[in-house]
Amino acid sequence: MTSQDERRAFWEERLAADWTETGVGYRALGRSFNEWMYRVRREVFLDRVGALDVDWTRARVLDVGSGTGFYVRAWQQLGAASITGSDLTEAAVARLRDHFPALRFERLDVAEPGDTFAGADFDAVSCMDVLFHITDDDRYTAAVESVARLVRPGGYFVFSENFLHRPAQRGVNQVNRPIGWITARLDRAGFDVVHRSPFLVLMNAQVDAGTLWRKAWGGVLRAATLTEPTGWLAGAALYPLERRLVRSRTESPTTEIMICRRR
């Protein structure tokens, strides 16, 4: 299991070297493919969050694990009145402050937030592709509970996860957990699930698929993205299909978006 210091050092080095969608995304597939993948992510986020009965022009939101600011920009597109960002790394926070000088960014470990946002009462907190990188189960639980303290009653928690319908898959820098385990922690923290749907379907690792399909499709993706030109072509070819799939399917073998409401 990776220690917290090792985890932070891993991300400090990665984001200092590559502050792009590749740095925060599926690195093995290259930048060009990741840029197509993130187009789908943005569309899904805007569609699902935009459908909530919330006047975002009056809302205060916090983005946890802001990375390159991708979802900060998405909140700006939704017209959020006040946007605050955070990240585990100094590398990301420094660059975020430079790129968004009008916004507040803080270095934050969501599992141990301290008093950084003491007394905060956000209308929504987003935490995209972050929680599955918390490899310790107790720290994962602590992260969910700290988010609950940041969201006002009636407010929303928006996050993406690999909600497995099989036993947990544990790696050095990522743990994919069963959906029942995750929703139990959400319920204990005071959240009700109001929405879950595919964030991606084919343009990411098939972590919740059968072994044969998972390995076969993973091999196809890696072969198609060996170079930046072929990665761009693969992304361009999959993009229209992926857009249809995330709208038509209710389950995904990879990352999904979940929206919870604070009781």
Side-chain angles (χ1 to χ4, degrees):
M1 187 174 295
T2 306
S3 73
Q4 181 59 13
D5 288 343
E6 289 172 332
R7 175 171 165 255
R8 181 181 172 189
F10 170 82
W11 286 107
E12 286 282 7
E13 180 180 352
R14 181 161 169 169
L15 289 176
D18 187 5
W19 198 64
T20 68
E21 283 85 353
T22 312
V24 294
Y26 192 167
R27 201 172 200 176
L29 301 184
R31 182 173 181 177
S32 296
F33 187 86
N34 270 279
E35 287 175 349
W36 282 106
M37 182 198 298
Y38 270 85
R39 290 191 189 191
V40 179
R41 292 175 183 268
R42 179 176 60 247
E43 291 177 14
V44 173
F45 183 90
L46 294 175
D47 180 69
R48 305 300 191 266
V49 179
L52 295 173
D53 186 20
V54 178
D55 181 0
W56 294 114
T57 63
R58 297 176 179 270
R60 298 176 63 244
V61 303
L62 169 67
D63 183 52
V64 174
S66 297
T68 63
F70 183 86
Y71 295 100
V72 172
R73 295 184 184 90
W75 280 119
Q76 288 179 324
Q77 284 185 258
L78 288 170
S82 172
I83 305 169
T84 302
S86 67
D87 199 84
L88 179 66
T89 69
E90 294 286 0
V93 170
R95 291 192 175 187
L96 288 162
R97 288 172 176 166
D98 286 342
H99 280 71
F100 302 93
L103 304 183
R104 176 188 176 189
F105 292 94
E106 300 290 346
R107 199 194 72 74
L108 178 76
D109 180 347
V110 69
E112 296 182 74
D115 60 358
T116 303
F117 295 114
D121 201 29
F122 292 101
D123 296 291
V125 172
S126 56
C127 190
M128 312 306 293
D129 288 0
V130 170
L131 293 179
F132 49 61
H133 290 299
I134 301 176
T135 56
D136 181 87
D137 290 346
D138 290 338
R139 291 185 65 83
Y140 187 108
T141 301
V144 172
E145 291 173 348
S146 73
V147 170
R149 290 191 291 272
L150 294 168
V151 179
R152 66 166 178 81
Y156 292 92
F157 177 30
V158 183
F159 70 108
S160 56
E161 252 289 5
N162 296 315
F163 299 100
L164 299 190
H165 295 81
R166 59 185 69 235
Q169 301 168 355
R170 296 186 178 273
V172 175
N173 292 301
Q174 180 169 322
V175 175
N176 303 315
R177 296 173 172 89
I179 184 170
W181 188 94
I182 295 169
T183 54
R185 270 71 189 165
L186 292 165
D187 179 67
R188 189 192 312 175
F191 286 114
D192 293 322
V193 178
V194 298
H195 177 84
R196 178 174 64 88
S197 64
F199 207 27
L200 295 164
V201 178
L202 292 175
M203 297 181 79
N204 204 2
Q206 307 287 283
V207 296
D208 203 26
T211 303
L212 289 177
W213 171 252
R214 184 168 69 247
K215 291 184 176 181
W217 185 247
V220 168
L221 284 182
R222 287 190 293 274
T225 57
L226 280 175
T227 69
E228 288 299 317
T230 59
W232 189 93
L233 289 171
L238 281 174
Y239 173 68
L241 173 60
E242 190 79 332
R243 294 182 74 208
R244 290 195 294 272
L245 290 174
V246 295
R247 286 171 169 79
S248 63
R249 293 181 58 124
T250 58
E251 295 278 347
S252 170
T254 186
T255 312
E256 296 177 322
I257 185 170
M258 178 175 278
I259 302 175
C260 301
R261 193 168 187 267
R262 180 80 162 85
R263 291 195 288 269

